[in-house]
Amino acid sequence: MRAVLPGKPAAKLQAITTALWEDRHIIAYVSGNALIVLGGPDDVLQTLYNEDEEELVAVTIDEGSGRIATCTRNLVYVYQPYGQDEGALKWSLRCTLSPDEITQPLSTLSWGIEEEVLVGASSLFLYSTNNGAEQLWAKPLANPVKFAQFSHDATLIASSAFYDRIVKIWRRLSFGSPDVRFDYAYLSHPTTITHLRWRKPLHREQHIEHVLYTVCADNKLRVWAAMDPHGLQILQLWAEINLIDSIQPRSISLADQTKKRLTFILDSRDLRLATERAVEHASSEDKEQYAIGHLTDIANMCPEVCVVLDDRGHMSAWGLDNVGCKIRKTTDVFNIVHTDGVRLHLSHDVKNLASNTQIYPICGMSTKGGFSLLVHRFDGRVDWFEGSIDRMFDPQPQKPRLQLESTWTGHSAAIKKIVRTVSGRTLVSRTEHGETVVWTQKPSTTTKTLQRHSVIDISEHIHRTCILQEGSFVVLLHHDKISLWDTRQKTASKVGESSYEVRGKPLCLILVPETEADECVAHVATVSSEMKGIVWEITMPATAGPRPLRRNSAAPATVKHFCTLDLGSGNDLAFILPVDPAGSPSVISGFLDTFARDVALSYTKSGVVKSWTAKVDRERRKIDWLLTSNFETGINEPSLASGTSIRKAALVDAKKTTLTIWNTRSCQLEYEEYFEGSGPIQDLDWATTPENQSILSVGFPHRVIIYCQLRYDYLEAGPSWASIREFRLRDITPHPIGDSVWLGSGNLVIGAGNQLYVHDEHVTLSENLVPDLRLSPREKEYHDIFTVVSRLNGPLPVYHPQFVSQSLLAGKIRHMQAIIIDLHQKLKFFTEGDSLDPLLDHPPEFFTTRVDANSSAAKKDLTTSYKDLIDDEEPKTVTEEIAATLNETLTEKKVPFLSSKEQFRLADIVECMGTVEKHRRSIDDNAARFLLFFRQHALMTSSKHADEPSSISWREITWAFHSSSQDILVDLVNRHFNGKMLWRHAKESGMFMWITDLTALKTQFEIIARNEYTKTEEKNPVDCSLFYLALRKKAVLVGLWRMATWSREQSSTSRLLSNNFQDPRWKTAALKNAYALMGKRRFEYAAAFFLLADSLKDAVSVLANQMQDLQLAIAVARVYEGDGGPVLNAFLKERVLPAAAEEGNRWQATWAFWMLQQRDKAVRALVSPIHTLLSPPGSPGVNMQARSFLTDDPALVVLYRQLREKSLQTLKGAAMVPAREEWEFVTHTARLYGRMGCDLLALDLVQNWEFLPPTQQASTVSALPSQTTVNGTASKRTSPVHSRTPSSALDSFDVGGFNIDPRKMLRRRSSLVVADLPSPIRTGFVTADKEHREKDGEKSQPKQQQPTAFQEPDANSLLDSFGF
């Protein structure tokens, strides 16, 4: 914790107290109904709240027992300490005292001996708290008491009434008896007494003479002592010091000298402790200085010191020696020092009550110099000044002798709401009763985090708050009016207001961002529960820049009605609130589009979230609003929501136990967590790093958890948010948290009760986060939160396993070969502490170069063009030998920017790359992708030692499905399982989903059947029945049953299988057996009997529903009836595709559409919402999985680019994708790459992507527009479309009334394209005639028409959107 604002100290004479108990300094003060106990400037030991919420007026600490007594107007609370031996010092309520027959409120407290406490009001009461609460003595007084204090040994009591000039000295006559009696005497003073205190001994056992110090309104300090113990007066005047005459600086004339004086007493005990600390901290050179020697000589005399200060930094110190001696010598009162430079920032106003100040010295603390001053200002502050006593009393000119270490202030009631500015340097906090304080964070401030800037004194109810000009002005929204306050002074003043009427209840106050930087004008809007609103224009004088150059610096501030709002219907609206600005600029561009930052967030009772942006139009005097996102969350009756201007939103359910975090740009769920036993979620606050990465604080009644975003990880489906810190306040304060907010510097400010806790921006890293941060051991100790979040989200080094994996998926196999070889070379001579370039000395252009992976020239270019340090004898590819050597290096050396877990992952990838490279000449790219990630999956599964290995993802299945090297893949997968592949192995590899050759499919299925039969020693035919019956090889199964003589079912099953199941009678018998087996939960065997009865549909249903094995159901259907069969097609349409739409699984959807021979939809499923492609169209998935960010995958864009060029059907599907949808798909994928830390891949995508040209009406005989890529390069204009009848299926096809020539759609027009659309002339494989195109290209082109579809954006806009 960096700083604490413990609460506003009460403006009472005894509101603060200090004590030295068991060599520990304790400070306590009262604030409202709270008692705050501290052990240092930022060390809050405990906060105790009065349950009846009545304000506390006095507090005192017993130095003998450590007990604390505090009182309200009529009750006294006594707290006793506990836990000091365990190092967790706390106080608990011991007893409550209720004085009887008091006509005036309690005003003073004082501890005596034997745990007796003196209570002063209209009477004096003496209580014993040793055994409960016992009243020992009571004495009515003529006037209510103002001061009443025990002497150090409790023999004497000094009391004085309000506005009294007489001190009454009470002398106790008996101790230990029930009959407590006092006699008394008077000490007369010329004017009203303003302060009194007793001298303290060096230690409690020391016997010293009683000495009383009094200060009067005549600015004189009087010293009273028992010089004649047998005299009539108990105390006699020993000396007096004129405070005015004590400070007479020569540099100031008498007329200009101030009359304000403050004084405090340093007892000899305090002087000795401070001197000891000063000597301890002094260097050898300092000890030779005059100041140390002079101070040591004075401390050896053991005098009391009277320190006098004025409000201009002047100080004089007077020593009082031999106090109490009968004959006072003139040298007993001596001057120690006259000096200046003691700046305590005292007020010059002597008449204002708020300028009243009390000073409490604290000496001997193990702080910087061992000397501290607490300055209690009655305007609601306590300043803690630090210094050393030698600098304080050094007569030589010094820089400021005391440094402000901390300021204790805050509120006097429980904080309800805290609001911040856009920059996060100014806050406004307010209580339930309207006490409002403006706080500022000064960039140059090193001693404290927040300063109280201004106080708004208002009794009206405050509905909402808005800050302008970094705290110079504050707007308050009330129920029927809006008011503007000038907060440039310590006490704010109202400068304008305006009444309003709006339909519905006002819900928020929104500061609308301006399109021009003008600090003199602001626009604030309120929106009601009916989605109606009002906008006000606020004009203010300028505050920035030199005063002569300020525009309208003298103009008055005004509030004027600007316009009204109508945002539609408010039906079902739950709330609308301004987004957290989270560091976004207050000025926006003049464009109102989806790229503009959000200003408001609304949510309905049914869980629909909407984000809004707005722009001020001053000329037409209106506010333009735009809905930037609108999506369903599935959360009914949300209780809390919060949004940020960079498109993040957090939502809490009705029970306040589940947190969800959403990306409002993509309308996707990024994180979900359920909290149990933590209390309700009651607060959400956003912060943003300088790199626009999000941080979220989630507030509970007594703790706050900090979350930060993480990189997306689609390969391991890792979480995208993580908890990095937690603040618990229950040990400090029992009061629940009211609100919290982020400062721009990364500090979290938490308001709980009267107090503001400013938590440090530096975090101590937990062990579960350290691996992901990739820090060295010496870096793990202390990091600010922005650095931590940046490390968790920044760009990855090119050798990071996630970057390597995504690059391999993107087809950059040769690039990654070069990277891994470079890493291998560099790690040969690498030692810990050496630097390693994250790009391995490659320029960014290296990763955006498009090359043919099979070109030898390309290989040479990648390995030599950018790297001159590679030896010519080194291999140019990652062989198994290089992989083994590099993996050994990775296990021995710590690689920069990689955690140990990531190094193991990189080693696995390198090993897989070596394996794939061995077969590289015989497999295509898709097979290489499958093999690489299948090997990774196998390695991860073996490391987890899972009993039931998980199946490979649909992404890898799709790669293998579109491979032309499936025979080799089948052989490699079989080898991986040592030629003994069972169904669970086949399911793990997804083999029966991606094999396209039915003959090979049945061959592998028969191998599975054989292996299932022989997997046990007894060779049970039940295990293989499903497989042989799916292959329609009942005879084989009959033979196996004949050999199963050990089985009890052998004879009956053999007899049954010997029948002809084409006969309806035996079909019925098989069905009966199937249903009987289902009743016994033998589902696989039941499915076999369904096949025996030729009921494939029932068999598939059992496998999919009861066994939850989708792959087995599809495999059985494919083997039994072949691809394109009615049962398989129905299953794909009714089960697989709806499940894909429900889960948002585009890989599964594109595979299913391809299996259905709907290849155009297979392409569109990669881009368009899946539910729109179903027949009939469905609705979006309602479960959280379908809304998850994991439904996206940047590898989808790789498959999309590959499939759309594969055949006419796929090209037609790509042509049916709206141009805007494709553009959003590409830009969204680039954002995903950026969130994954693969910024170079995002750059490569937007620079090299080729958009399809806009389509044209078939009736138009004009040329297509020139093909444009994202990086702005354009191909030659295509030739006009001929009106002749197409002679080939490749010449043209019709898409929704648009005539498309496929030869003109892609830049690479020499590609081989499968003509799989019906043609009047021929179908099959054709190649576009290059010469014919060139000849057509020579013809003149008619005037190009303006396309009616979405106009492709300029490339620069794409690049600018991602910072390239």
Side-chain angles (χ1 to χ4, degrees), residues 954-1014:
W954 280 97
R955 177 181 55 242
E956 279 65 61
I957 290 174
T958 307
W959 293 130
F961 182 69
H962 290 290
S963 171
S964 58
S965 312
Q966 291 183 355
D967 51 345
I968 300 175
L969 290 183
V970 169
D971 180 59
L972 292 174
V973 171
N974 272 299
R975 277 197 236 169
H976 174 76
F977 295 112
N978 301 316
K980 297 180 179 180
M981 186 167 15
L982 303 175
W983 170 251
R984 60 187 179 92
H985 300 142
K987 181 180 179 181
E988 182 182 354
S989 67
M991 174 182 292
F992 291 94
M993 302 298 100
W994 50 259
I995 294 180
T996 55
D997 183 2
L998 282 178
T999 303
L1001 185 79
K1002 292 179 179 179
T1003 302
Q1004 292 302 316
F1005 208 70
E1006 189 166 1
I1007 293 173
I1008 298 292
R1010 253 192 328 266
N1011 292 337
E1012 288 285 347
Y1013 175 69
T1014 59

Side-chain angles (χ1 to χ4, degrees), residues 607-885:
V608 177
V609 174
K610 300 179 181 180
S611 59
W612 305 80
T613 187
K615 185 189 73 169
V616 179
D617 189 341
R618 296 189 186 180
E619 294 182 359
R620 295 187 292 172
R621 294 192 64 81
K622 71 171 189 173
I623 302 291
D624 296 321
W625 288 78
L626 177 67
L627 184 65
T628 56
S629 66
N630 181 4
F631 59 96
E632 294 184 8
T633 63
I635 301 173
N636 291 323
E637 299 290 341
S639 59
L640 192 64
S642 179
T644 177
S645 56
I646 57 173
R647 304 297 174 85
K648 292 287 188 294
L651 210 63
V652 179
D653 67 344
K655 296 182 180 179
K656 299 185 178 182
T657 56
T658 303
L659 168 72
T660 54
I661 302 176
W662 300 80
N663 184 334
T664 60
R665 185 186 296 275
S666 60
C667 305
Q668 289 177 323
L669 175 68
E670 292 192 345
Y671 187 75
E672 181 179 15
E673 184 172 354
Y674 172 73
F675 298 93
E676 186 176 7
S678 301
I681 302 173
Q682 62 183 28
D683 188 32
L684 301 169
D685 290 287
W686 291 95
T688 304
T689 68
E691 291 82 14
N692 273 346
Q693 293 142 357
S694 298
I695 306 171
L696 174 66
S697 65
V698 182
F700 297 87
H702 295 282
R703 65 172 182 151
V704 177
I705 303 177
I706 308 301
Y707 289 86
C708 79
Q709 69 178 47
L710 303 178
R711 295 183 187 89
Y712 284 165
D713 185 356
Y714 289 99
L715 298 178
E716 294 192 3
S720 60
W721 288 78
S723 169
I724 61 172
R725 199 174 183 188
E726 182 175 349
F727 302 116
R728 293 182 177 270
L729 298 186
R730 190 182 289 275
D731 295 337
I732 303 175
T733 174
H735 202 288
I737 295 171
D739 198 8
S740 61
V741 74
W742 289 94
L743 292 175
S745 56
N747 305 97
L748 181 67
V749 180
I750 301 176
N754 303 4
Q755 303 169 331
L756 288 170
Y757 297 89
V758 184
H759 289 275
D760 204 333
E761 70 274 18
H762 292 90
V763 295
T764 302
L765 305 177
S766 59
E767 288 301 320
N768 59 337
L769 275 180
V770 166
D772 293 326
L773 289 174
R774 302 179 301 281
L775 301 175
S776 63
R778 65 175 179 271
E779 293 179 314
K780 293 178 182 178
E781 298 178 357
Y782 211 55
H783 268 279
D784 68 90
I785 191 169
F786 288 164
T787 302
V788 169
V789 176
S790 178
R791 287 289 183 94
L792 291 170
N793 290 275
L796 293 169
V798 295
Y799 50 83
H800 189 278
Q802 173 147 298
F803 187 89
V804 175
S805 299
Q806 291 298 328
S807 298
L808 293 172
L809 283 174
K812 296 185 176 297
I813 296 177
R814 293 304 171 194
H815 295 76
M816 288 302 105
Q817 296 268 6
I819 290 296
I820 296 302
I821 292 174
D822 288 347
L823 181 65
H824 173 58
Q825 293 293 324
K826 289 183 177 296
L827 290 183
K828 282 183 179 180
F829 310 102
F830 181 83
T831 58
E832 187 172 357
D834 292 350
S835 61
L836 188 63
D837 181 48
L839 298 182
L840 295 181
D841 301 325
H842 288 281
E845 294 80 9
F846 171 79
F847 301 93
T848 60
T849 304
R850 308 294 293 179
V851 298
D852 184 358
N854 297 319
S855 168
S856 59
K859 298 177 186 178
K860 182 178 179 181
D861 178 66
L862 284 172
T863 53
T864 61
S865 175
Y866 296 102
K867 299 302 299 173
D868 298 329
L869 298 178
I870 299 180
D871 192 346
D872 291 338
E873 298 179 359
E874 285 291 332
K876 301 299 185 290
T877 59
V878 180
T879 61
E880 289 185 322
E881 293 75 17
I882 289 182
T885 306

Side-chain angles (χ1 to χ4, degrees), residues 170-187:
W170 306 77
R171 180 166 52 190
R172 190 166 182 174
L173 303 177
S174 60
F175 286 91
S177 66
D179 185 17
V180 177
R181 293 183 297 162
F182 288 85
D183 65 354
Y184 55 87
Y186 295 102
L187 303 179

Side-chain angles (χ1 to χ4, degrees), residues 992-1281:
F992 291 94
M993 302 298 100
W994 50 259
I995 294 180
T996 55
D997 183 2
L998 282 178
T999 303
L1001 185 79
K1002 292 179 179 179
T1003 302
Q1004 292 302 316
F1005 208 70
E1006 189 166 1
I1007 293 173
I1008 298 292
R1010 253 192 328 266
N1011 292 337
E1012 288 285 347
Y1013 175 69
T1014 59
K1015 68 180 179 181
T1016 59
E1017 293 182 3
E1018 58 187 14
K1019 298 181 180 178
N1020 193 347
V1022 174
D1023 297 335
C1024 62
S1025 296
L1026 175 67
F1027 301 94
Y1028 277 118
L1029 290 175
L1031 289 163
R1032 301 179 184 269
K1033 294 188 176 183
K1034 188 187 74 169
V1036 176
L1037 187 61
V1038 170
L1040 296 179
W1041 271 110
R1042 288 174 182 167
M1043 293 184 289
T1045 56
W1046 53 269
S1047 175
R1048 292 181 300 175
E1049 302 176 356
Q1050 189 253 351
S1051 58
S1052 59
T1053 306
S1054 296
R1055 286 197 304 271
L1056 179 64
L1057 291 177
S1058 62
N1059 296 299
N1060 179 16
F1061 286 90
Q1062 299 299 323
D1063 189 340
R1065 172 193 171 190
W1066 294 113
K1067 280 188 178 181
T1068 304
L1071 289 173
K1072 289 182 178 179
N1073 279 280
Y1075 288 121
L1077 289 168
M1078 287 185 65
K1080 297 178 181 180
R1081 303 191 67 79
R1082 297 175 66 182
F1083 299 121
E1084 183 178 329
Y1085 204 26
F1089 273 89
F1090 277 124
L1091 291 180
L1092 194 62
D1094 197 25
S1095 181
L1096 175 62
K1097 182 177 180 180
D1098 291 330
V1100 169
S1101 176
V1102 170
L1103 296 174
N1105 296 325
Q1106 275 70 30
M1107 291 188 64
Q1108 295 294 311
D1109 195 336
L1110 191 71
Q1111 285 198 33
L1112 184 56
I1114 296 173
V1116 167
R1118 294 186 67 189
V1119 171
Y1120 192 83
E1121 69 173 2
D1123 292 341
V1127 175
L1128 176 62
N1129 285 355
F1131 184 74
L1132 292 175
K1133 293 177 181 178
E1134 298 170 6
R1135 177 65 185 268
V1136 177
L1137 282 174
E1142 183 71 18
E1143 299 170 3
N1145 193 335
R1146 295 184 181 276
W1147 298 100
Q1148 182 177 329
T1150 187
W1151 174 88
F1153 279 125
W1154 199 278
M1155 287 291 296
L1156 291 168
Q1157 299 300 314
Q1158 299 177 9
R1159 298 184 177 183
D1160 54 339
K1161 288 187 177 181
V1163 176
R1164 293 168 62 192
L1166 299 173
V1167 181
S1168 304
I1170 302 173
H1171 67 273
T1172 62
L1173 306 177
L1174 303 182
S1175 298
S1179 59
V1182 295
N1183 62 355
M1184 289 299 182
Q1185 184 178 357
R1187 296 185 176 94
S1188 172
F1189 73 98
L1190 292 173
T1191 58
D1192 283 332
D1193 192 334
L1196 289 168
V1197 79
V1198 180
L1199 183 63
Y1200 175 73
R1201 174 160 33 197
Q1202 181 184 124
L1203 291 187
R1204 73 176 184 179
E1205 304 174 5
K1206 199 163 189 176
S1207 72
L1208 288 183
Q1209 269 203 57
T1210 60
L1211 200 54
K1212 176 183 176 182
M1216 295 175 69
V1217 175
R1220 175 177 288 277
E1221 201 168 272
E1222 181 181 357
W1223 183 80
E1224 291 175 349
F1225 172 61
V1226 174
T1227 55
H1228 178 62
T1229 303
R1231 282 192 292 268
L1232 294 181
Y1233 275 133
R1235 181 69 186 270
M1236 295 172 69
C1238 305
D1239 299 66
L1240 290 170
L1241 295 181
L1243 175 62
D1244 172 63
L1245 176 65
V1246 298
Q1247 180 172 325
N1248 294 296
W1249 183 260
E1250 180 184 358
F1251 285 103
L1252 296 181
T1255 56
Q1256 286 186 300
Q1257 291 291 344
S1259 59
T1260 305
V1261 194
S1262 60
L1264 290 170
S1266 60
Q1267 176 62 44
T1268 306
T1269 60
V1270 177
N1271 64 348
T1273 60
S1275 63
K1276 295 181 179 179
R1277 289 186 179 271
T1278 56
S1279 59
V1281 180

